[in-house]
Amino acid sequence: MAHIKAAITAVHGHLPDYILTNQELEQMVDTSDEWISTRTGIKERRILKGAGLATSDMGGEAVKGLLDKRGIGPSEVDMVLCSTVTPDMKFPAAANLISHKAGIKNAFSYDMNAACSGFLYALVTAANYVESGRYKKVVVVGADKMSSIVDYTDRQTCVLFGDAACAVMLEPTQEDVGVMDHVFGSEGSSWQYLHMKAGGSLKPPSHETIDAREHFIYQEGQTVFKLAVTKMGDISLEVMKRNNLSAEDVSWLVPHQANMRIIEATGRRMNLPPEKVMVNIQKYGNTTNATIPLCLWDYEDKLNKGDNLILTAFGGGFTWGAIWLKWAY
Ligand code: UT7
């Protein structure tokens, strides 16, 4: 019997209605549309507004849309995996709440956190469940309400992030498509360059941590930038090399959307022309776990069965990775 592979058979996202433009940010902090556009490529991002709305609301909508699109009933889903850094609560997992909101009752679900590389790690984890032969319909959701951990008085970070969720369906196939290979890496010694100072077991929430504004993203941008540029290119080339893929063989680069300059540098390092590089950072900013599936969703109608895609990300931890994916429809 041929080896079972895990193929993406549908993708669907959810974007909150509210659009936060660079012009509105100019009214909030000392910044300019010109600075944000030239340094990051971002023009606008979506923000989830409204009391009582959280990551799982966006994730639930994305999954409901995904099931409708693929014609799969909620009761058929075996497993739901959510990658997020902004779960609704520390526990239970956002994946449990997403399943509940999407009417999924016969599945087990849990969250994964690898910062901006989370969706890639979740995709490969989910693919392993499918490849085992035991699970037939596995949903992977990348979802983040980044606005819940952004300090809108800090111009260095508040211009970067947005809210969104996007989900893919993974199903078994015996064709030569799906998740083909990956190279992942992480190292914790550089955690201090990108993290949230308080709210975890190291520094539980207190009046002092609130007063010190420690419940927000802290990033030393330049350090992260330099490493992201090198790592995303290197790791993508590594996954290509070990599978004998040339730049001509690659149909699309699907990079994490953190900065347009990082995206362009990664494409150049891989020798890919700009028209093979997926970009939507101008519309959504950095949505952390949702960036990569949102690219697949936006470019879905340009994809053909058998296309070779290289998905790559770099994020807090540090974590990084690249996946070779063959598009299945
Ligand atoms: O997704 C997880 C991984 N994250 C990333 O990959 C992000 C990586 N880092 C970056 O994308 C970039 O480092 C940033 C976009 C965060 C910053 O861009 P940069 O070109 O590295 O700028 P910088 O931090 O070196 O700052 C340059 C100048 C500084 O002013 P001085 O010291 O030269 O006078 C900043 O204070 O730009 C200033 N600045 C701003 N000015 C206007 C920083 N933020 C802003 C702002 N508006 N929003």
Side-chain angles (χ1 to χ4, degrees):
M1 199 175 87
H3 179 67
I4 299 170
K5 286 205 159 61
I8 292 180
T9 56
V11 54
H12 194 79
H14 178 78
L15 296 158
D17 292 334
Y18 191 84
I19 298 175
L20 175 59
T21 61
N22 290 352
Q23 286 70 25
E24 189 176 348
L25 281 164
E26 284 175 350
Q27 311 303 314
M28 295 159 67
V29 287
D30 180 16
T31 192
S32 64
D33 174 44
E34 204 267 332
W35 191 96
I36 304 170
S37 303
T38 54
R39 296 288 181 124
T40 72
I42 302 165
K43 295 302 259 182
E44 56 190 45
R45 62 296 283 143
R46 300 300 181 102
I47 302 294
L48 183 63
K49 297 255 186 185
L53 293 176
T55 296
S56 72
D57 293 288
M58 296 186 292
E61 288 304 312
V63 174
K64 276 196 272 180
L66 180 80
L67 297 181
D68 280 352
K69 190 167 168 181
R70 181 69 186 138
I72 289 174
S75 59
E76 296 173 64
V77 175
D78 298 313
M79 174 187 177
V80 177
L81 204 48
C82 177
S83 60
T84 184
V85 296
T86 53
D88 300 25
M89 310 163 211
K90 267 202 174 291
F91 68 90
N96 305 152
L97 303 168
I98 290 171
S99 296
H100 167 61
K101 287 172 183 173
I104 295 171
K105 292 188 167 51
N106 301 328
F108 71 103
S109 55
Y110 62 90
D111 286 356
M112 288 179 62
N113 176 354
C116 292
S117 308
F119 182 79
L120 298 187
Y121 290 17
L123 186 63
V124 166
T125 303
N128 281 314
Y129 281 93
V130 172
E131 287 162 11
S132 76
R134 184 162 170 189
Y135 302 97
K136 310 269 189 273
K137 308 233 175 318
V138 174
V139 173
V140 185
V141 195
D144 272 304
K145 183 183 170 184
M146 294 306 289
S147 60
S148 66
I149 56 167
V150 164
D151 181 353
Y152 286 99
T153 66
D154 173 14
R155 70 174 185 175
Q156 307 207 29
T157 50
C158 75
V159 302
L160 303 174
F161 296 95
D163 302 337
C166 196
V168 300
M169 178 65 72
L170 273 186
E171 296 181 67
T173 178
Q174 298 204 342
E175 292 186 70
D176 191 34
V177 293
V179 178
M180 307 297 285
D181 193 18
H182 68 277
V183 183
F184 288 167
S186 54
E187 60 101 3
S189 65
S190 305
W191 61 271
Q192 68 272 20
Y193 297 115
L194 181 49
H195 70 292
M196 191 159 111
K197 290 181 190 291
S201 57
L202 177 66
K203 232 189 206 192
S206 67
H207 289 292
E208 288 73 30
T209 62
I210 304 264
D211 290 344
R213 307 187 74 79
E214 291 182 338
H215 294 269
F216 297 119
I217 299 161
Y218 172 83
Q219 171 169 253
E220 293 184 23
Q222 274 192 16
T223 308
V224 181
F225 183 94
K226 282 181 201 143
L227 278 162
V229 166
T230 322
K231 276 288 178 196
M232 281 169 60
D234 284 356
I235 202 93
S236 299
L237 287 170
E238 193 177 332
V239 85
M240 285 163 65
K241 190 167 172 214
R242 57 187 242 161
N243 292 286
N244 295 318
L245 291 171
S246 67
E248 288 69 42
D249 296 326
V250 174
S251 312
W252 293 100
L253 171 65
V254 194
H256 173 53
Q257 309 278 307
N259 187 311
M260 190 59 202
R261 290 180 290 144
I262 300 176
I263 296 168
E264 287 170 349
T266 306
R268 279 197 301 272
R269 215 174 160 85
M270 295 166 68
N271 231 354
L272 295 178
E275 55 274 17
K276 284 189 176 183
V277 181
M278 293 191 187
V279 178
N280 58 16
I281 191 170
Q282 71 283 3
K283 294 190 286 182
Y284 314 134
N286 182 349
T287 56
T288 304
N289 282 279
T291 61
I292 287 177
L294 276 179
C295 278
L296 297 175
W297 190 41
D298 270 0
Y299 283 78
E300 189 181 17
D301 61 356
K302 297 189 172 61
L303 297 174
N304 294 303
K305 188 171 179 176
D307 278 356
N308 291 308
L309 278 56
I310 303 290
L311 284 45
T312 186
F314 180 88
F318 288 128
T319 57
W320 58 88
I323 295 176
W324 170 30
L325 176 81
K326 259 196 185 186
W327 198 247
Y329 61 95

